[in-house]
Amino acid sequence: MKNILLIGNGAREHVLAETIVQSLHHPKLFSYMKTNNPGIASLSEKIQLGSYADLDAIQAFAKVSEVSLAVIGPEDPLNNGVVDCLIKSGIPCVGPQKSLARLETSKSFTRSLLQKYHVPGNISFKTFSSTEGIEAFLDDLEGIVLKPDGLTGGKGVLVQGDHFQSRKEALKACREILEIHPTVTIEEKLEGEEFSLQCLCDGKTVVATPPVQDHKRRFVDDQGPNTGGMGSYSCENHLLPFLTEKDIAAGLSITQAVADALYRETGLYYKGVMYGGFMITRSGVKLLEYNARFGDPEAMNILPLLKTDFLDLCTAIVEGTLDSLPIEFEKKATVCKYIVPKAYGLPADSPEAQSTSSRIEIGDVGAARLYYSSVDQKADGLYMTSSRAIGVVGIASRIEEAETVAEKAVAAITGPVDHRPDIGTWPLLEKRIRHIEEIKGKSG
Ligand code: AMP
């Protein structure tokens, strides 16, 4: 029997916890969390609460729990070097070392890596540490995207048209970014449809999991501010309605080339998840960014479909034997909808954003799976805090059914909650298809 350390406290880690304890190796789960997640706690042998920056505390918890493997969910502990620290104590990790996690934390590192090793899918970009030369580069671009270096909690990317309008405003935003961040990467704004390809990597072999589409905007029909993600879907044929096998092959081959480049650049094998955010554009599949971990919500779309034993998968990742492990996912569709407090995503000074902790009741959710995120279990029930509360996942043979399962469960959760009813519905999917036809039409 194995003892496994899981680091993280969100819905992504709740589904990871479930997938770990379902292993036929009957592992015991030891969870280190920033704040208590009652879903993860209920699956764990033991939990410890603490900061993701407190590497000594994490290491001590791992030692006393006699864990033989660690799975790291979020980006913060990766960026703090938790993997380097655990590896030093002889604990193998599913998650990259700090210098490899730069794939997510440093946008300039990733763009320059692609450039240096001639990896396809890169776009026009330049990195600046001062404002010198910025104006001239901005003049060269048709559309502008600004990316600060360093972790920004998913809220650092500024896109022309969304966050700023003119070149003058872009320059002002660059000045502000450079006051806090060492560099800013400026790149061309792409137009197209996005898809997420979460790939598993042992440093040599890269394996794709079913593609997923996330919905970042707060409100129906992709209106409102960007959020951590309001929900996501995947299809039974492991494609998306607007995505071909060729597009997936392109994303996978870019990721394989990046894994090879990372090894050549650092001499280290990347062991963990390389989550590529790609865009299908009129000139092919382009890389938007990498995350060094599963997505939240996207982990909830793929992990429940995994047929291969998750601990066998983790062992293959740390031992570098992914090439000889058959990895299978059920041919089912999934729809994930996040239950959020009504005020989620609204500006902090708006009147609606003043309500904080509120109780929610969970009725009969049928066949849906629930994964807890920012919720508190108190003596008198379950309370939401200020962020995304529960990921509700419907799984079925077809996307319409999966959407119905999720929507029925959402209706059974009462309180001052909100969600996006349009995720996984045909009108939204058809909009994506029309968009891609329009994009491809422009290339023909
Ligand atoms: P985040 O996940 O919050 O860091 O935001 C990343 C988002 O910024 C992506 O999902 C895209 O929607 C957008 N984005 C990033 N790079 C580009 C780009 N070059 N062109 C257009 N949109 C981009």
Side-chain angles (χ1 to χ4, degrees):
M1 197 183 302
K2 277 188 163 195
N3 291 354
I4 310 292
L5 171 66
L6 175 65
I7 301 177
N9 59 284
R12 166 184 47 214
E13 288 77 30
H14 189 181
V15 69
L16 275 166
E18 178 189 84
T19 315
I20 291 169
V21 299
Q22 280 170 355
S23 162
L24 296 179
H25 298 285
H26 305 295
K28 282 189 182 159
L29 187 65
F30 294 79
S31 301
Y32 185 96
M33 300 185 266
K34 194 167 64 177
T35 53
N36 184 47
N37 178 320
I40 298 173
S42 72
L43 298 169
S44 304
E45 192 72 16
K46 201 170 159 210
I47 63 160
Q48 181 164 323
L49 304 184
S51 156
Y52 296 145
D54 191 349
L55 301 186
D56 289 342
I58 297 174
Q59 197 177 27
F61 180 59
K63 276 215 162 143
V64 46
S65 308
E66 298 182 338
V67 304
S68 51
L69 181 87
V71 179
I72 293 92
E75 59 275 28
D76 284 348
L78 295 172
N79 187 43
N80 293 335
V82 75
V83 171
D84 307 64
C85 169
L86 290 171
I87 286 178
K88 262 192 214 142
S89 336
I91 300 166
C93 296
V94 176
Q97 281 124 299
K98 185 178 167 134
S99 61
L100 295 169
R102 278 183 294 168
L103 196 60
E104 170 164 2
T105 57
S106 172
K107 310 295 181 198
S108 59
F109 170 77
T110 302
R111 287 272 174 236
S112 307
L113 188 80
L114 266 77
Q115 189 176 48
K116 180 170 172 187
Y117 293 94
H118 308 289
V119 178
N122 213 4
I123 60 178
S124 194
F125 79 100
K126 255 187 188 170
T127 299
F128 297 89
S129 55
S130 77
T131 48
E132 208 186 309
I134 287 188
E135 259 184 295
F137 187 61
L138 291 177
D139 284 341
D140 285 348
L141 297 175
E142 243 181 69
I144 302 162
V145 175
L146 309 176
K147 300 187 173 183
D149 239 40
L151 274 188
T152 53
K155 292 178 185 71
V157 176
L158 300 180
V159 180
Q160 190 170 27
D162 285 346
H163 304 96
F164 63 91
Q165 303 301 327
S166 64
R167 283 189 165 68
K168 209 172 138 202
E169 284 168 7
L171 187 62
K172 184 169 167 266
C174 287
R175 277 204 191 98
E176 287 165 6
I177 290 170
L178 287 171
E179 277 169 23
I180 339 176
H181 296 270
T183 61
V184 59
T185 297
I186 303 178
E187 58 188 43
E188 66 170 298
K189 181 183 171 187
L190 300 174
E191 207 206 322
E193 271 301 321
E194 287 181 45
F195 69 97
S196 305
L197 198 63
Q198 301 171 93
C199 294
L200 307 164
C201 180
D202 65 4
K204 293 172 279 181
T205 304
V206 176
V207 180
T209 68
V212 178
Q213 191 173 44
D214 180 26
H215 299 73
K216 285 214 171 292
R217 300 293 190 144
R218 172 66 177 80
F219 299 115
V220 164
D221 207 21
D222 296 325
Q223 301 297 311
N226 268 330
T227 68
M230 291 297 293
S232 46
Y233 66 90
S234 71
C235 296
E236 62 279 8
N237 58 0
H238 297 173
L239 298 172
L240 296 173
F242 57 86
L243 190 76
T244 64
E245 305 252 11
K246 216 172 128 212
D247 298 323
I248 296 177
L252 180 61
S253 92
I254 291 170
T255 307
Q256 178 70 62
V258 171
D260 296 343
L262 277 172
Y263 180 70
R264 286 169 66 193
E265 187 68 12
T266 65
L268 296 169
Y269 288 120
Y270 187 109
K271 294 177 184 294
V273 179
M274 294 173 76
Y275 161 157
F278 295 100
M279 196 178 264
I280 308 173
T281 71
R282 75 192 69 149
S283 48
V285 171
K286 303 288 178 190
L287 176 72
L288 290 180
E289 59 181 358
Y290 274 108
N291 292 322
R293 32 112 196 147
F294 283 118
D296 185 347
E298 295 93 324
M300 291 181 272
N301 297 95
I302 61 136
L303 288 172
L305 300 183
L306 183 66
K307 292 208 297 196
T308 308
D309 191 291
F310 188 61
L311 279 203
D312 289 342
L313 192 57
C314 293
T315 305
I317 288 174
V318 299
E319 290 183 353
T321 53
L322 261 188
D323 61 338
S324 54
L325 182 74
I327 298 169
E328 277 186 275
F329 291 87
E330 280 185 77
K331 289 274 187 184
K332 289 204 167 151
T334 65
V335 174
C336 174
K337 304 201 185 210
Y338 249 120
I339 295 278
V340 301
K342 278 198 179 351
Y344 175 63
L346 301 181
D349 56 0
S350 66
E352 300 90 331
Q354 300 315 315
S355 71
T356 46
S357 172
S358 2
R359 209 170 107 187
I360 47 175
E361 298 278 351
I362 301 180
D364 178 6
V365 296
R369 316 252 188 128
L370 301 192
Y371 298 106
Y372 289 173
S373 188
S374 295
V375 287
D376 244 358
Q377 185 76 60
K378 295 188 185 170
D380 63 338
L382 203 59
Y383 281 76
M384 292 189 291
T385 56
S386 57
S387 197
R388 298 179 295 176
I390 303 178
V392 177
V393 182
I395 302 173
S397 316
R398 295 167 54 78
I399 193 151
E400 296 89 333
E401 294 163 42
E403 199 272 334
T404 306
V405 171
E407 203 53 44
K408 275 192 181 153
V410 164
I413 301 175
T414 49
V417 292
D418 202 6
H419 77 292
R420 270 191 56 175
D422 58 338
I423 293 173
T425 62
W426 268 108
L428 198 62
L429 298 181
E430 277 164 358
K431 201 172 144 189
R432 310 279 191 235
I433 296 168
R434 276 199 308 276
H435 186 206
I436 220 63
E437 281 169 358
E438 214 183 284
I439 297 281
K440 292 199 168 157
K442 281 183 193 168
S443 67

